[in-house]
Amino acid sequence: MTDQPPFYDDLAACLDEAWRLLSEGAAHRRGACHTPTLATLGRDGAPRLRTVVLREADAGARLLRFHTDARSDKAAEIAREPRVALHAYDPHAKIQIRAEGRATLHGADALAAAAWEAARPMSRTCYGVSPGPGTPIPRGDGYALPTDRATAEEGRARFRVVLVTVERLDFVYLAFEGHRRARFTWDGGTPAATWLVP
Ligand SMILES: Cc1cc2nc3c(=O)[nH]c(=O)nc-3n(C[C@H](O)[C@H](O)[C@H](O)COP(=O)(O)O)c2cc1C
């Protein structure tokens, strides 16, 4: 039997490992969890998926943070139905993380102001795109990005921080000797953890 990681038969350590990978993804471009897939519910009730950049993972507060444009479909979908899910798979670690929870949109508060201040100029530019994200255009290049700093700052009004409070986390580790799957829930505030059949 090959050596298994310390979390192999330790529920609490599985949760720590999940948050470690998420934090690593938020901190490093090359982290496997840097670009998770976000699921929202569309207006028609059908699921909708897209990639986002994970900006922060706070295990203590059970928070995941990403940024978006207020004019995007996902922003409207979150405003309508705050229940969302995020998925990431680290092929090197052979770990899948599915986090479900409730999202809040922040545009005018101190949180959004701090995130905007910390954003790179190139990232800020995206929020100044015209027309807005998702608008049909006659040609692929039929949109404009701000070319000067003052115009780029106009994107601030469209910039949104999205915070997801994780209420359920499903962890899967693939191993030749036997996969492991664990589920962590904080529904109603009471934490619970259980192994699941993978
Ligand atoms: C690698 C990668 C990272 C992305 N990061 C973000 C992001 O952090 N926030 C965002 O709103 N869109 C991001 N996008 C674009 C979205 O995946 C999506 O195409 C766009 O936001 C429109 O989504 P919506 O119409 O569902 O709102 C990213 C796309 C890629 C390929």
Side-chain angles (χ1 to χ4, degrees), residues 34-36 38 40 48-55 65-69 71-77 127 133-134 160 162:
H34 186 60
T35 49
L38 168 79
T40 53
R48 303 203 67 216
L49 302 174
R50 78 287 284 160
T51 312
V52 292
V53 173
L54 186 61
R55 304 286 174 178
R65 173 166 64 91
F66 65 90
H67 300 161
T68 198
D69 190 307
R71 300 166 295 174
S72 67
D73 281 0
K74 75 181 83 50
E77 287 162 5
Y127 300 96
R160 294 290 180 275
V162 183

Side-chain angles (χ1 to χ4, degrees), residues 15-98:
L15 183 60
D16 289 346
E17 182 63 7
W19 282 106
R20 192 188 70 75
L21 288 174
L22 290 166
S23 300
E24 194 178 75
H28 305 289
R29 264 166 196 275
R30 291 179 192 277
C33 296
H34 186 60
T35 49
T37 301
L38 168 79
T40 53
L41 212 60
R43 287 187 76 81
D44 59 358
R48 303 203 67 216
L49 302 174
R50 78 287 284 160
T51 312
V52 292
V53 173
L54 186 61
R55 304 286 174 178
E56 186 183 356
D58 181 338
R62 283 188 280 121
L63 284 175
L64 298 173
R65 173 166 64 91
F66 65 90
H67 300 161
T68 198
D69 190 307
R71 300 166 295 174
S72 67
D73 281 0
K74 75 181 83 50
E77 287 162 5
I78 289 168
R80 191 168 165 270
E81 171 52 79
R83 287 179 301 168
V84 300
L86 285 146
H87 161 272
Y89 177 61
D90 184 334
H92 179 69
K94 294 182 289 176
I95 290 172
Q96 172 184 264
I97 299 167
R98 290 187 293 166

